């Protein structure tokens, strides 16, 4: 909804000197009260978007709107956003209370107001009683909470988080994912979170923007991104995927490895060259004559909750299987999968073209 939109990028390009553009004609909207994740490999442009929103840099071309007012040259201290940095940027010579109170003191707030707001912010992040604790005495997870409390105490409309979990160990990182998500829901503030960790993005987000080389390859809910990747990059970057060449024989029927398979995709041309995606967890190991495909096992690793089994079919296509069943290297096994497990991708299709194709196909289907 338009009245829910807080920030809007309109054909934004960012380029430094004569170097290739860091962002290429990027457009998107951010709405109130949602958790957004900017996901992509190093150098894809996700931190640049964060810096543009924060006001630490200005776009080379295009406009950035805040409540439909151009904010390109609005200084950082005049924007209703706060940033939680990767290293938290806490003041080591100040205790917890003073770290959180710093922004309020800069604004000239009265002591009673500062105390009330700081204690309220610490309550939100479960740090009541830590007011006088020195920063050096805090754990990594506690320091992150202090940084978040310092961000929310100024009551911003948007909180920007630049890979704030990257320095934590795996167990604490997982715990903080749940805490951050719950905190965002309780506050009702828009969070824009930067990460290169796919599992983190899937677990925490309302909406994900997948970036690659300065472009947004695809945006959508975690389920949409995972189940219906737009292209090979997204399919390969979000989780693990089997991506094999195929031919779309007709609506709901695709061919690969010399066989035809029922699927749930339509709107392609007859005999169009396509790519087929099947997630490893959607493949079931069977006896060779009971599977839809046969695969010779090449390697197997135990991953704790499942075996990771790799092999090749008769056409040389590589397949990765996640299964609780064990296989033996060198043996032939069958692979079974449901039609819903198959996702068909058109070669070189953009997200806009993908949406238009689905819309046109849906209209044609309803007309019939």
């Amino acid at each position: 909804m338009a009245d829910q939109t807080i920030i809007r990028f309109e054909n934004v390009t960012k380029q430094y000197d004569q170097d290739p553009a860091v962002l290429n004609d990027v457009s998107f909207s951010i709405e109130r009260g949602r958790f957004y994740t900017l996901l992509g490999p190093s150098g894809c442009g996700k931190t640049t978007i964060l810096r543009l929103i924060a006001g630490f840099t200005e776009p080379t071309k295009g406009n950035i709107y805040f409540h439909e007012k151009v904010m390109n040259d609005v200084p950082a201290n005049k924007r209703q956003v706060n940033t939680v940095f990767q290293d938290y940027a806490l003041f080591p010579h100040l205790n917890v209370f003073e770290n959180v109170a710093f922004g309020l003191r800069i604004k000239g707030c009265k002591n009673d107001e500062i105390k009330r707001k700081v204690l309220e912010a610490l309550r939100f992040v479960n740090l009541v009683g830590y007011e006088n604790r020195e920063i050096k005495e805090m754990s990594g997870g506690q320091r992150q909470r202090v940084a978040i409390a310092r961000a929310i105490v100024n009551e911003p409309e948007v909180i920007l988080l630049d890979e704030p979990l990257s320095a934590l160990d795996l167990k604490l990182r997982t715990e903080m994912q749940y805490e951050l998500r719950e905190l965002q829901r309780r506050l009702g503030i828009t969070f824009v979170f930067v990460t290169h960790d796919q599992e983190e993005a899937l677990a925490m987000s309302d909406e994900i923007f997948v970036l690659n080389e300065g472009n947004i390859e695809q945006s959508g809910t975690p389920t949409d991104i995972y189940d219906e990747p737009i292209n090979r990059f997204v399919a390969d970057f979000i989780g693990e995927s089997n991506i094999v060449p195929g031919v779309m024989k007709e609506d709901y029927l695709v061919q690969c490895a010399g066989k035809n398979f029922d699927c749930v995709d339509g709107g392609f041309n007859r005999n169009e060259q396509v790519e087929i995606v099947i997630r490893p967890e959607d493949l079931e190991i069977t006896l060779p004559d009971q599977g839809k495909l046969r695969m010779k096992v090449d390697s197997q690793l135990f991953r704790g909750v499942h075996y990771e089994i790799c092999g090749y079919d008769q056409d040389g296509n590589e397949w990765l299987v996640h299964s609780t069943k064990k296989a033996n290297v060198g043996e032939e096994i069958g692979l079974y999968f449901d039609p819903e497990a198959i996702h068909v991708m058109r070669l070189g299709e953009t997200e806009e073209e993908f949406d238009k194709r689905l819309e046109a196909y849906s209209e044609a289907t309803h007309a019939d």
Side-chain angles (χ1 to χ4, degrees), residues 267-322:
F268 294 87
N269 300 318
R270 286 182 179 270
N271 297 316
E272 180 178 351
Q273 299 291 321
V274 295
E275 289 185 307
I276 296 169
V277 180
I278 303 180
R279 297 290 185 180
E281 65 271 19
D282 291 331
L283 293 171
E284 179 184 345
I285 293 177
T286 68
L287 295 172
D289 59 352
Q290 293 178 356
K292 292 185 174 182
L293 286 172
R294 294 186 180 216
M295 178 184 90
K296 186 174 182 179
V297 178
D298 184 64
S299 64
Q300 177 176 263
L301 294 173
F302 181 56
R303 294 296 188 185
V305 296
H306 63 258
Y307 290 96
E308 188 175 275
I309 303 163
C310 185
Y312 297 86
D313 63 26
Q314 62 183 15
D315 283 8
N317 297 309
E318 184 178 11
W319 294 92
L320 178 66
V321 183
H322 291 170

Side-chain angles (χ1 to χ4, degrees), residues 82-103:
N82 272 62
T83 305
V84 177
F85 298 97
Q86 187 172 357
D87 60 359
Y88 310 145
L90 299 173
F91 301 111
H93 62 289
L94 300 179
N95 63 19
V96 169
F97 184 97
E98 291 301 328
N99 262 280
V100 178
F102 183 80

Side-chain angles (χ1 to χ4, degrees), residues 41-52:
S42 298
C44 69
K46 54 188 186 294
T47 298
T48 299
I49 289 178
L50 218 64
R51 290 176 58 81
L52 285 164

